[in-house]
Structures are given as structure tokens and as C-alpha cells.
Amino acid sequence: MAKRADFAGLDLLTAFGGDESLKKEILLSDIITNPEQPRVFGREDVGDLVESMKRLGLIEPIVVRKLGKKFQIVAGERRFQAAKLIGWKSIPVVETEASEDRCYEMALAENEKRKSLNPWEVGRAIQFLRKERKKTAEEVGKILGYTERYVKQLSSIARLDQRSVSELLKSGNDLSVKNLEALLKKKEGRGGETISPRKPGERITLDLKPLTVKNRESFLRELSTLKKKYGLS
């Protein structure tokens, strides 16, 4: 697999060298969302968070930055939307003084860390950073923990328009790399790139005997998620 998995365990602000000393609680009415955040699909689907936050509260504060007299969300929009539905008046936040460009990178990294984005959304954000913010594929790779090759290949998926991706989703197909590549190939009438080239019939065998029952079950759950994401059988 072209993507590294070690980034997933990092704390967002630690990964970006942020200062966590600015923790506080602010009114929801003083918070605004970011119209340029990387997530496109499922931004309003917060039912799972509502139930969790009702029972457990907010486990991880959202990240915001000062924007005029308001605070703009850098990471945690779904937690913010859930808090509004619950009826909270205020919410714990961590304020960062990072630049607008840096905040976009943080938002992308936070979503990817939580596996909240599909490959098209990631590719779209990568394309934005490369074209609008003049980031190299290597620089974007460091932000996300991706190889340079994987960054370039996901960027190619972003050539698909949102309507086509929405129609694919409505048809009952997962927004996996495999399905998105097939759609790109059909739309452009050519071979298209392959994100994770494999030899026909190539299989990998793993011995799970050394794992405890609990670890084995956890591994199989994560494997199932990865298989679904990458369109593997």
C-alpha cells in the first residue's frame, strides 16, 4: 500500500507544532464554520456524534482561530454542529494562531486522521494545495503521511466533478479508490492511473495466531475497513 499509516496516531496540534496552552470555552454563537474546509460529503450527518456527546460530553476540543470578532473552525465542524443540535451554549476549544494556509493543512490532516474523507475529497484538497498554495507533492505528502507517488495519484482523481461523484454514491457504490478510478477512466475515455497496482490474483497471507483474541478482532475490523476503502475483496 502506498500510504503510510503512522500519521493516524499523532495529535493534530502536536503534529503541526501548535501551542495547546490556549484552551478555553467559548459561546457557540461566536463560532463560524470554514467554507473552504476539505470535507464535502456528510458534513451535516452528525447523528452518531449527538448520541456520543450526550452521554460522554466532548472528549476532544475543537480547534479554532480568531477571525475578526469571531472564531473560525479549523478542525471539528461536526462536533460543533452536534453541540448545536444538543442545545449547548458553549463548547471547549483550542485556539491556534496558525496562518490561514496552515489552518487548511491542519483541517485536511485532521479529517484524514479520522478517516472522515473519501479519496476524491482528499484528492480535491491535495489539488488545491498544489495549484493554489503552490505546495509540491513532497510537501503535501509530509502533511498527510503519504508517499509522493500516492499524492500525485489521488490528485488525478480530483479531476472528477462533484456531480459525477455524487451520482456514483447515489447508485449505491462506495467512493473507493477502485470505483473512482473506474469512473475517471470512463469519463475521460482512457486508461487512467492506478493507485495501487496489483498483479492479477495477487494475495497476501497473514498468520494471526501470535495475536491475542482481542487484538485479532481489532485487526480484522480495521482490515475490513481498509478493504472497503480501497475496493479490495
Side-chain angles (χ1 to χ4, degrees):
M1 189 180 297
K3 191 183 112 177
R4 295 204 317 268
D6 53 354
F7 182 84
L10 290 177
D11 173 79
L12 180 65
L13 292 177
T14 301
F16 281 82
D19 183 359
E20 288 193 87
S21 64
L22 299 177
K23 289 183 178 179
K24 54 187 176 182
E25 189 155 320
I26 60 177
L27 296 174
L28 292 181
S29 58
D30 287 336
I31 299 175
I32 58 175
T33 59
N34 184 352
E36 294 186 353
Q37 79 127 316
R39 188 178 181 119
V40 175
F41 296 96
R43 292 174 67 172
E44 304 301 323
D45 182 16
V46 297
D48 57 330
L49 282 178
V50 168
E51 294 306 314
S52 173
M53 287 167 59
K54 280 181 178 179
R55 291 186 296 107
L56 305 173
L58 188 65
I59 297 175
E60 184 179 351
I62 68 173
V63 181
V64 299
R65 73 182 184 100
K66 199 76 167 64
L67 189 63
K69 295 182 179 180
K70 297 286 187 177
F71 294 89
Q72 186 179 65
I73 297 174
V74 174
E77 181 177 331
R78 292 180 71 245
R79 280 166 278 163
F80 166 71
Q81 298 292 356
K84 286 170 58 177
L85 288 176
I86 296 171
W88 290 2
K89 299 301 181 184
S90 61
I91 190 171
V93 305
V94 175
E95 183 183 351
T96 178
E97 296 180 355
S99 66
E100 182 179 358
D101 285 358
R102 196 64 165 165
C103 284
Y104 184 87
E105 296 169 13
M106 291 170 68
L108 174 57
E110 195 262 358
N111 274 290
E112 177 55 17
K113 183 182 75 170
R114 295 173 183 276
K115 305 305 174 192
S116 299
L117 304 178
N118 62 61
W120 178 78
E121 289 172 319
V122 177
R124 182 173 171 269
I126 288 172
Q127 195 176 68
F128 173 78
L129 288 174
R130 295 185 67 196
K131 290 186 175 182
E132 302 298 327
R133 296 296 184 255
K134 309 304 180 186
K135 296 284 184 181
T136 66
E138 181 182 5
E139 288 172 331
V140 176
K142 288 180 179 179
I143 294 170
L144 293 172
Y146 287 175
T147 64
E148 185 175 342
R149 178 176 178 274
Y150 193 76
V151 165
K152 291 178 179 178
Q153 291 173 322
L154 279 185
S155 184
S156 70
I157 287 178
R159 292 200 298 268
L160 288 166
D161 60 277
Q162 184 176 338
R163 181 178 179 181
S164 296
V165 177
S166 296
E167 289 175 350
L168 178 65
L169 187 61
K170 290 177 182 177
S171 70
N173 290 295
D174 293 328
L175 298 185
S176 64
V177 170
K178 180 180 179 181
N179 289 337
L180 288 165
E181 283 187 320
L183 180 60
L184 179 66
K185 179 179 178 181
K186 180 179 179 181
K187 287 284 182 180
E188 297 189 343
R190 61 184 187 79
E193 295 84 352
T194 301
I195 298 296
S196 303
R198 303 189 304 274
K199 296 178 182 178
E202 182 180 358
R203 292 184 177 276
I204 298 175
T205 302
L206 299 173
D207 182 8
L208 303 183
K209 292 179 181 178
L211 300 179
T212 63
V213 174
K214 182 177 180 180
N215 287 341
R216 189 182 308 165
E217 291 175 348
S218 176
F219 174 83
L220 291 174
R221 283 195 298 271
E222 292 182 22
L223 179 62
S224 177
T225 300
L226 287 171
K227 287 169 65 176
K228 182 178 180 181
K229 178 176 180 178
Y230 291 98
L232 301 176
S233 58

